Amino acid sequence: MTQTFLLDGREVPFRDGQTIMEAAAAAGVYIPHLCHHPEFKPHGSCKLCTVDIDGRRGAACTNRAVAGVRVQSETAELNADRLTLVQMLFVEGNHICPSCEKSGNCQLQAVAYRLGMTTPHFSHFYPLRDVDASHPDVLLERNRCILCELCVRASRDADGKNVFAVGGRGIRARLIVNAASGRLADTDLAADDRAVQVCPTGALLRKRQGFAVPIGRRLFDLQPIDAVGPGQESGGEG
Amino acid sequence: MAPPKLRLATCSLAGCFGCHMSFLDMDEKLFELVERVEFDRSPFTDIKHCGPCDVGLVEGGVCNAENVHVLQEFRRNCRVLVAVGACAITGGIPALRNNVDLWDCFQEVYHYGVGVERGQIPNDPELPLPFDKVHPIYEVVRIDYFLPGCPPPAEAFFRLLSDLAAGRRPELPAGAIRYD
Amino acid sequence: MAQQDNSPPDCDLAAIVARHGGDSHNLVQILRCVQERCGTLPARAIDELARRLGLPRVRVEAAASFYHFFHAESHGAYEVLFCDNIIDEFHGRAELMQYFCERLWLEVGKVSEDGLVYVNTTSDIGLADQAPAALINGYLVPSLDKARIDLIAEMVRQRRPLAQWPSLLFDVADNVRQPGPLLADGYTPGEALHAALALGPEGVLEELARADLRGRGGAGFRTALKWSSCRRAPGGAHYVVCNADEGEPGTFKDRVLLQRHADLVFDGMTLCAHVIGARQGFLYLRGEYRHLLEHLEAVLARRRAQGLLGRGIMGRAGFDFDIAIHLGAGAYICGEESALIESLEGKPGKPRNRPPYPNTEGYRGQPTVVNNVETFACAARIALLGGEWFVGLGTGQSTGTKLLSVSGDCKRPGIYEYPFGVPVRQVLHDCGAADAQAVQVGGPSGTLVSWREFDRRIAFEDVPGAGAFMVFSRERDMFEVARNFSHFFARESCGFCTPCRVGTSLLRQTMDKLAAGKGSAYDMDIMKQLMHILKTMSHCGLGHTAANPIVEAMADFPEAFERRLKALDFEPAFDLDGALQTARLITGRDDAWAHIVAAAECDDRGACALPPSSDSP
């Protein structure tokens, strides 16, 4: 007998151990997210996928589906709160879309489009963050890092390398790399590592590939993020 | 009798006038627009100071003292103030200087820049004094609406002004939000 | 090693790693040890530790950069950290710190020119009853005044090693003002354990259930339930963890319990081990209580000699259990049980996704009981005196007694033990607080009780919490209390989740804006929005409660906020004129156009010294 739960009033089947996010994705239902990727261990840090589970809020990516529960996701209130989270991410870093190679293929931007963000709303932090261009093939642009730890997980679990971690704490948390020099060039990162491909923003970029696709033909110019499909949001190179 | 025209002011602060150019890109719709809108202070009119207006469109962020004075003049005079374009909304390209120390900026521009010889930092009161950092305009005055884009497309300007002229709350159509 | 020529003699990384079994799970302990012995955690130490422990370097660096008390740069021979909890602030912390800096020509946050001293602030250090206080090279220095600062400055100037400083500087008083059954003297080590062995595991659980003991850390989870589910949970090993990471500002009862009643606590842990079948226990002692380490190690050693720890405890074949002390390194978040376990495992203290809960998947993924110090002490008393006795104290839903850590504006700050249900008013009377306008119960994450509600009772069903009781008299500014707490949460957020990482910083920023007299109704709306997000979207309790002090202060003392609102409508996010200062210095200008007059000083038509715009004729 298939187990189901209710997602926005619709019956969604799930297997034992599946999270709400996984079951929703399998059923073709999009729940906004940034730190989630179906290939990697759920993390639950961006909190964008927060849903209402029988009247209690929780992250869809880390909460297991339970038979019979009523989950609300596409509500005006949840989307308003998700919008606030995205606005927080925008003011926390230095996200200047017109100058970013990732623009049009960026999940932070695409989620913000979907949630209707017209302004970052809060006061900008304008933090001073290091750009690491030392690596021959990969740029690490910390100004655009949202600390989703997808590269941390991908490097550890898919590439078997442990190139990345989050160092520091609180608002000073930052992406650090596995080298005494602190330079990406001194790690064993390779251009075709999954860690580089899964970055949802322009924090990790392959060099010499920027602006290759003209405006109007980029991933999220063609379709909104909820139509792209799970795991495909990081674009063609993924 | 035709409804009174919407009185409109526009300006560009720390911006590139690209939003204004995009505004003009509405081409023949400009004829339709001038039926409903008249201009106060704007690069299109060359009026220097803003009088009481219905709508102010502000392009560009705030990078110096003069920007603040202009912005405050707009806020005082415009019933509805709209932040137009990426720079007004996030600081945009000019905000790329925010991770450069202001002293280094001055050094580069007036002392060590290519082609600068025996340069000196000017102290003329006519020159607007720069802020430590470039800010979006909503961090300086209250903003009523935001029109994102770099630049916002001409249709977005047309739609915004049509909505305001008709007394509607402006809404960007789904899929129309872009930051570049 | 040639590189380490300048290091202190006992700064031997290989030996430190070996002493910790070469086990990467002990990374935080190893880092602490290196920091204490070598003075810093430089990049080459991180390299070597990674190599010796077989860890990716980046993981060692992540842990080393997470904790407040670790640093890569030298803090000199003397690291002086002034506690900046609100109680210390109200007792003149800023003035004393400035005085100290002036005496020794110091700048806050920087090592002195001669590389001798480093001065900064730190979050609450568990001495609110003896404020203002400081942490010097990791040791508590209570009751600061100018005379003591003079003495400290003199010791520093003479470059005397800490061991040669007058010991009175480090005398931490217990200040037990009102003992009850929990704090009663005359306890014989092993007494409760003996009783527990007689009862057997099921018998102990029955007594705990009869006693209806609830966790004393604040959350109030039922101890019998926690222990029995852990007992049932399958696993290769079970663990007992005592949470002595008493970081909630205003709380210090665990310090006193461990100082005076360590055997009671260790008996509680050992009988828990008996119940759940654990062979290993940990006392997670907050770094700020470093001074207790030798005392506690001595108690543990004595207990081993007495047969109360080790193999065959009390002659029972197969009852093997020992306790190791894990010293924290400055992180309030490690009081959250899953963050504490991460820290025990040598990682940054970031709360885990839950479920699973520690009682099924805790330390090293095994079933683990994590309880507060006071809870273990209660469990020991219950094993000895029975659940019936315990139920006779307190209220219907809150049985037994509660230790309150009383501080602030009262004549007799210290530890008070009351049966649950005691009205706030009575505590105020007993501690000599005649002029209170409010009490923060349970610390910043707890409840603000205003003078209108002094008949409320300390109990899970009314005002819960771990027992901090900070008293504020009528002369205190309740806005400043809330602002202090907003700084605390922003500093202590672990940074894992978006709402807390960014939200706590935005709240702090907005409170500072209000404090500077530049707030508006717009800012109040921003704060309300942030509070909602923190409460409903955060990953753990820190974020959920981070806005509480502001929410409650706004509700109870609205005038303290309104007084600070400059404009009703809107004020700029930053100081416009101040943001021109750098450019003024660079250009040497100070003319009218080099300043921005506040908009409020302009008239309606903008006649406020508007400078010529550049496109003017």
Side-chain angles (χ1 to χ4, degrees), chain C residues 9 25 31 51 90 143-144 166 192 219 275 287 321 349 360 370 421 427 457 461 490 499 502 528 545 599:
Chain C
H25 283 90
L31 288 169
R51 207 169 51 243
F90 283 156
S143 308
L144 292 175
V275 170
F321 179 67
T360 57
V370 184
V427 183
R457 290 162 186 276
E461 59 267 41
V502 186
K528 282 174 190 154
T545 56

Side-chain angles (χ1 to χ4, degrees), chain C residues 50-90:
Chain C
R51 207 169 51 243
R52 290 186 181 279
L53 292 166
L55 281 175
R57 185 189 194 284
V58 79
R59 275 199 45 205
V60 180
E61 189 183 347
S65 58
F66 181 82
Y67 296 89
H68 284 309
F69 295 161
F70 295 157
H71 41 84
E73 285 81 36
S74 167
H75 281 183
Y78 304 100
E79 184 196 59
V80 182
L81 302 176
F82 285 82
C83 172
D84 65 2
N85 180 26
I86 188 64
I87 303 295
D88 300 74
E89 295 300 288
F90 283 156

Side-chain angles (χ1 to χ4, degrees), chain B residues 41 48-49 65-66 68-69 72-73 76 102-103 106 121-127 129-132 135 138-142, chain C residues 569-570 572-574 576 579-580 582-584 586-587 589 591 593-594 596 599 603-606 610-615 617:
Chain B
R41 171 179 172 156
K48 300 301 182 198
H49 284 286
E66 190 214 358
V68 169
H69 291 125
Q72 288 176 338
E73 178 185 299
R76 277 192 303 274
L102 194 57
W103 174 244
F106 271 89
I121 293 172
N123 62 357
D124 188 335
E126 288 273 312
L127 293 173
L129 215 52
F131 285 115
D132 295 341
H135 293 263
Y138 71 79
E139 293 184 11
V140 177
V141 298
R142 187 173 52 75
Chain C
D569 184 39
F570 187 93
F574 60 102
L576 296 176
L580 290 173
T582 317
R584 278 195 294 266
I586 293 172
T587 57
R589 282 175 54 186
D591 54 89
W593 315 137
I596 293 178
D603 69 25
D604 287 347
R605 289 165 45 244
L610 206 66
S613 76
S614 52
D615 54 359

Side-chain angles (χ1 to χ4, degrees), chain C residues 125-131 133-136 138-143 148 166-176 246 252-257 259-260 288-292 415:
Chain C
I125 56 178
L127 276 179
D129 59 335
Q130 293 156 71
L135 205 56
I136 302 186
Y139 287 87
L140 297 179
V141 180
S143 308
R148 286 190 157 214
S167 65
L168 72 96
L169 280 174
F170 304 99
D171 275 349
V172 174
D174 289 343
N175 286 340
V176 175
E246 189 177 43
F252 46 86
K253 51 149 186 110
D254 295 342
R255 162 171 61 74
V256 176
L257 269 173
Q259 176 72 56
R260 287 169 71 129
E288 290 83 347
Y289 291 170
R290 167 70 184 81
H291 71 292
L292 290 175
I415 300 292

